[in-house]
Amino acid sequence: MQERISPARRVSGTLRLPGDKSISHRYAMLAAIAEGDTHIRNYSIGADCQSTLGAVSALGAAVERRDGEVVIQGRGLEGLEAPRADIDAGNSGSTIRMLSGILAAQNFSSRIHGDESLSRRPMDRIMRPLSEMGARIAARDGRFPPLAITGARLKPIEYTLPVPSAQVKSCVLFAGLYADGATVVHEPIRSRDHTEIALREFGADIAVERRKITLRGRPRLAGRNLTVPSDLSSAAFFMVAALLIPDSELVIQGVGLNPTRSTLLDFLMSIGASIKVLNVAQVNGELAGDIRISSAPIRGGVIEKETTAALIDEIPVLAVLGAASENGLIIRDAGELRVKETDRIATVVENFRRMGIAAEASPDGLRVPGRQRFRAAAFDSFGDHRIAMAFAVAALRSDGESTIDNADSASVSFPGFFSILRQVSASGSVQ
Ligand code: S3P
């Protein structure tokens, strides 16, 4: 599907966005192995999180949609059933990587696969710790989906994450639920901690001390009533839109503000954005609040080290902002971008090229000079939701109508993105 985007004169309005993708996956997986029903409000409507619902229901945890909630009938830690067919994770790295931790501990075998993009993404990062725990997993070429998982009795391990990855951390912790004794994960670079918070919410015995997480195996998890905050990574596209177009102001309500994710706000403020956070509250252990953002001159800067890990999903749209900033943006330590839904360094540079924007890629980074002119272009998402949305935002500042091919990939995390973008952007030409 192709979308056409006209330049915006102004971006304004009050928005409420779909539920957080990361939190939704975790709630669904834990609900499936908890005892009793879990009710989830504002569960992500993105295709990735529907893949997780499909997976847990294939494992015997009934899923129903009732009055705007997702209700999952928990089967208890030992109650999942062998799936009748291969599990389809679709485009979702979180589904295949995190669920594998649970599948590895079952008393049945299973196979899990995904779409073309997921089939190119490395799984050895979860296979290594899981096999240390005693799991038996076979993968295409030893590291790519599909995975064939033979359930086994797992033992606890102490594991230091070699890459900063919340998916790997979560996979090991989910497997650790089934191991007798304490599973310990050390993370040299902090990654999002939704799993730790969700495990505590469901009643697991988990302790976090600086960068060391200790989880006791074989807890009784109890079904819960949960509300998912809106996705800050989805909000990022609108925030950048408001920063790119003069005289803009947006209020985005009920957004997740977990400190392992809200580095985005700190970074944007550090380069000149004007952001106010209002009505902060805690919901099921997660912070959420309203964000008010208005356009302001953006200086540009450097994203590196821990900041890169904390902003990894936002980098494509931040790169777009960088091209409009005064001094440009330098991104370092971002090798992980090369193994996302697409090689995001390559797909960002290619779309930049199409709009006449100069950028210099390195194996693990990107340099985007500032003060560049945005030309209307024919963009491609290359099947990557965040690339589709990042360049839709770039198109708002361009000098004519742009098109985005394969724009429907946005629905992986954010169905309805394009219609909300149209609602908030009054079209008109930008000088
Ligand atoms: C996610 C973790 C990140 C992120 C992805 C979601 C999660 O991936 O890019 O969109 O929900 O844990 P990695 O764990 O591979 O860094």
Side-chain angles (χ1 to χ4, degrees):
M1 203 184 76
Q2 189 187 69
E3 288 281 349
R4 292 174 179 278
I5 310 281
S6 305
R9 220 179 326 108
R10 197 165 171 254
V11 172
S12 63
T14 298
L15 303 176
R16 206 166 248 288
L17 304 177
D20 186 87
K21 176 162 95 67
S22 293
I23 298 174
S24 297
H25 283 301
R26 287 153 172 87
Y27 283 174
M29 290 182 203
L30 289 173
I33 56 172
E35 291 171 27
D37 288 359
T38 290
H39 292 246
I40 312 173
R41 284 169 62 187
N42 203 34
Y43 187 86
S44 164
I45 53 171
D48 269 10
C49 292
Q50 309 314 303
S51 296
T52 291
L53 291 181
V56 300
S57 87
L59 293 164
V63 175
E64 255 185 74
R65 285 176 184 79
R66 239 188 265 157
D67 308 325
E69 293 184 343
V70 168
V71 184
I72 300 178
Q73 234 175 65
R75 302 299 306 252
L77 211 54
E78 309 289 346
L80 296 180
E81 290 165 6
R84 284 200 214 107
D86 290 3
I87 296 171
D88 185 0
N91 190 244
S92 176
S94 299
T95 307
I96 193 168
R97 293 199 180 118
M98 301 200 292
L99 194 65
S100 293
I102 294 175
L103 294 175
Q106 302 305 312
N107 57 10
F108 53 76
S109 298
S110 51
R111 284 172 56 87
I112 183 162
H113 66 261
D115 67 8
E116 205 189 308
S117 149
L118 190 61
S119 303
R120 286 193 301 263
R121 298 184 64 190
M123 296 298 138
D124 44 339
R125 53 182 62 198
I126 58 152
M127 293 169 68
R128 244 175 270 125
L130 288 177
S131 31
E132 259 185 60
M133 297 177 86
R136 287 176 292 162
I137 305 177
R140 181 176 59 81
D141 294 338
R143 63 191 289 249
F144 299 110
L147 303 179
I149 303 177
T150 310
R153 183 133 194 113
L154 302 184
K155 47 182 191 288
I157 55 165
E158 182 152 358
Y159 191 69
T160 300
L161 294 178
V163 276
S165 166
Q167 292 174 353
V168 176
K169 171 175 66 175
S170 306
C171 169
V172 175
L173 292 174
F174 284 177
L177 289 171
Y178 288 87
D180 288 313
T183 293
V184 180
V185 179
H186 298 271
E187 43 175 5
I189 293 180
R190 188 162 81 149
S191 66
R192 61 193 71 191
D193 67 353
H194 304 301
T195 294
E196 295 88 311
I197 293 171
L199 279 166
R200 204 170 288 129
E201 232 11 59
F202 277 90
D205 180 352
I206 178 163
V208 183
E209 240 181 277
R210 291 180 62 79
R211 302 276 190 275
K212 176 185 178 195
I213 304 145
T214 307
L215 174 76
R216 299 243 146 234
R218 308 215 154 259
R220 273 188 77 168
L221 303 177
R224 301 273 294 142
N225 285 332
L226 302 163
T227 301
V228 181
S230 296
D231 199 318
L232 181 60
S233 299
S234 300
F237 298 103
F238 292 99
M239 293 170 70
V240 169
L243 293 173
L244 281 176
I245 311 296
D247 298 324
S248 294
E249 182 174 281
L250 280 177
V251 175
I252 312 176
Q253 297 177 319
V255 184
L257 296 173
N258 177 313
T260 62
R261 301 278 296 282
S262 61
T263 307
L264 172 66
L265 305 187
D266 303 329
F267 176 72
L268 288 175
M269 288 192 275
S270 78
I271 60 172
S274 148
I275 300 176
K276 284 205 174 60
V277 175
L278 312 154
N279 305 322
V280 180
Q282 221 187 38
V283 195
N284 304 120
E286 293 280 356
L287 285 182
D290 301 341
I291 294 172
R292 179 189 294 272
I293 184 160
S294 25
S295 40
I298 296 298
R299 288 186 287 274
V302 181
I303 299 177
E304 61 184 350
K305 301 182 185 153
E306 290 89 354
T307 310
T308 304
L311 294 177
I312 199 76
D313 289 342
E314 288 74 62
I315 286 177
V317 78
L318 291 175
V320 169
L321 181 63
S325 68
E326 280 158 37
N327 307 318
L329 189 67
I330 295 176
I331 298 150
R332 300 197 181 106
D333 310 312
E336 278 294 297
L337 284 180
R338 297 232 180 244
V339 289
K340 293 293 179 191
E341 286 82 333
T342 56
D343 172 344
R344 285 185 177 155
I345 294 179
T347 47
V348 164
V349 168
E350 170 56 21
N351 278 322
F352 272 162
R353 190 192 61 75
R354 294 180 185 200
M355 65 191 295
I357 282 185
E360 210 180 285
S362 69
D364 68 346
L366 192 59
R367 201 177 70 82
V368 189
R371 294 172 188 269
Q372 300 198 61
R373 179 155 163 236
F374 285 39
R375 294 214 179 82
F379 297 116
D380 201 321
S381 78
F382 302 101
D384 184 332
H385 55 132
R386 298 201 200 278
I387 298 298
M389 294 186 277
F391 285 89
V393 168
L396 296 180
R397 195 185 161 98
S398 301
D399 56 2
E401 187 186 76
S402 297
T403 55
I404 303 181
D405 283 344
N406 301 307
D408 40 324
S409 58
S411 63
V412 154
S413 60
F414 197 167
F417 167 79
F418 287 98
S419 81
I420 299 180
L421 193 71
R422 282 196 185 95
Q423 278 166 38
V424 297
S425 54
S427 22
S429 61
V430 200
Q431 315 66 3

